[in-house]
Amino acid sequence: MKQNGTTSATQLSKLLKELPTINLDEIGDAHFASGSDTPLREDAFDITDERKIELIEKHFREIMLIMGLDLTDDSLAGTPKRVAKMYVKEIFSGLNPSLKPKPTLFENKYKYGEMLVEKNIQFYSNCEHHFVPIYGLAHVAYISSGKVIGLSKINRIVQYFSKRPQVQERLTVQIAEELKLMLDTQDVAIVMDAKHLCVSSRGVQDTASSTITAHYSGKFKEEKTKDEFLAHIYQSASR
Ligand SMILES: [Zn+2]
């Protein structure tokens, strides 16, 4: 696959043919989650971002043409390029491990041994089954094992893993696992409360429901600690 960091269109179409086909009639709209790692191809970064943008632009143009859109229209002409750049550089940029936020850790000088809660972290992701947005709030907590993290880094970790095609369950676990690793502690909790546009704007068209996922580990598995965390995030939700 490697060829000076580029993949030819022929190679790409061969590659696409090799992918397993899934019977959508059997799966329907069911959202199923695989492991906690994003299923990435081994050669995911053999081609450059620039090449990816070129290829996605080309293929997205074809999708629009197949739908019958007139790409000579001024309003549509730039869309394939715009979408390609948005995919690679923005909404799916979190696929690239080189963009993972580097932790800034500080010594816990204040000897603060209670939980730290960062709540109402707004995130935008995309459902990997429909490629439409998932958005909502993440609430994260940890108890310091001697290291503390810059507060904005918690937001950045949430954003980084959100910028992938995702299922909410995996997103929740990926953020929790990264925080455990960075902070060198098991005492981490996260609750994510999100709207899925694949549920509200299509399919059952339920605009009222939201999906809550959670991951508790270490001391947060204990009832008392978990209750304290939940009280922090829900007691003044409107603030
Ligand atoms: Zn979906």
Side-chain angles (χ1 to χ4, degrees):
M1 189 53 49
K2 253 187 190 153
Q3 201 189 60
N4 305 326
T6 63
T7 305
S8 73
T10 339
Q11 277 173 316
L12 191 82
S13 74
K14 185 171 167 283
L15 202 150
L16 291 171
K17 279 185 199 126
E18 285 165 5
L19 293 176
T21 42
I22 291 170
N23 188 343
L24 262 191
D25 291 337
E26 276 170 24
I27 296 174
D29 259 358
H31 284 59
F32 57 94
S34 43
S36 66
D37 285 339
T38 297
L40 269 180
R41 300 175 53 84
E42 263 179 37
D43 56 3
F45 301 100
D46 284 1
I47 60 174
T48 63
D49 279 3
E50 286 60 40
R51 184 64 180 142
K52 283 182 186 178
I53 291 170
E54 274 174 36
L55 289 167
I56 294 170
E57 177 186 358
K58 174 179 171 292
H59 288 277
F60 202 80
R61 172 171 287 113
E62 281 171 27
I63 290 173
M64 293 176 72
L65 288 171
I66 293 164
M67 289 196 296
L69 292 166
D70 177 5
L71 281 141
T72 62
D73 186 275
D74 281 351
S75 176
L76 297 180
T79 301
K81 178 79 180 259
R82 213 175 283 122
V83 170
K85 274 173 80 174
M86 177 182 73
Y87 274 17
V88 176
K89 296 290 189 190
E90 296 175 290
I91 65 175
F92 300 131
S93 59
L95 287 171
N96 190 339
S98 73
L99 298 177
K100 188 156 84 180
K102 310 275 179 293
T104 335
L105 293 173
F106 305 96
E107 217 51 57
N108 182 9
K109 281 195 210 123
Y110 324 107
K111 303 288 172 223
Y112 179 74
E114 299 300 317
M115 71 176 66
L116 182 144
V117 181
E118 177 89 354
K119 68 179 195 178
N120 298 333
I121 302 171
Q122 185 144 39
F123 70 90
Y124 288 90
S125 189
N126 281 274
C127 156
E128 70 183 16
H129 300 141
H130 298 93
F131 272 53
V132 291
I134 301 172
Y135 68 95
L137 298 174
H139 313 289
V140 174
Y142 73 93
I143 299 168
S144 169
S145 66
K147 300 274 180 208
V148 289
I149 195 172
L151 289 181
S152 68
K153 281 290 186 260
I154 299 178
N155 295 57
R156 285 188 203 287
I157 291 162
V158 171
Q159 311 308 347
Y160 169 74
F161 287 103
S162 297
K163 287 178 178 172
R164 295 175 173 192
Q166 278 290 13
V167 289
Q168 192 177 324
E169 296 90 325
R170 186 202 292 128
L171 175 58
T172 308
V173 173
Q174 286 181 339
I175 295 166
E177 294 304 330
E178 185 62 26
L179 285 168
K180 286 184 213 173
L181 214 69
M182 271 184 184
L183 292 159
D184 195 21
T185 177
Q186 286 298 308
D187 303 333
V188 164
I190 173 165
V191 167
M192 301 190 90
D193 186 349
K195 294 269 187 194
H196 291 234
L197 286 202
C198 59
V199 174
S200 58
S201 73
R202 56 162 295 286
V204 291
Q205 304 202 329
D206 178 349
T207 54
S209 68
S210 71
T211 305
I212 296 180
T213 47
H215 183 91
Y216 307 106
S217 67
K219 290 187 184 137
F220 287 94
K221 281 190 187 291
E222 295 164 17
E223 214 59 35
K224 196 177 130 291
T225 315
K226 186 192 289 184
D227 286 350
E228 186 188 334
F229 167 58
L230 294 176
H232 281 310
I233 64 179
Y234 288 121
Q235 71 190 349
S236 49
S238 52
R239 243 197 274 160

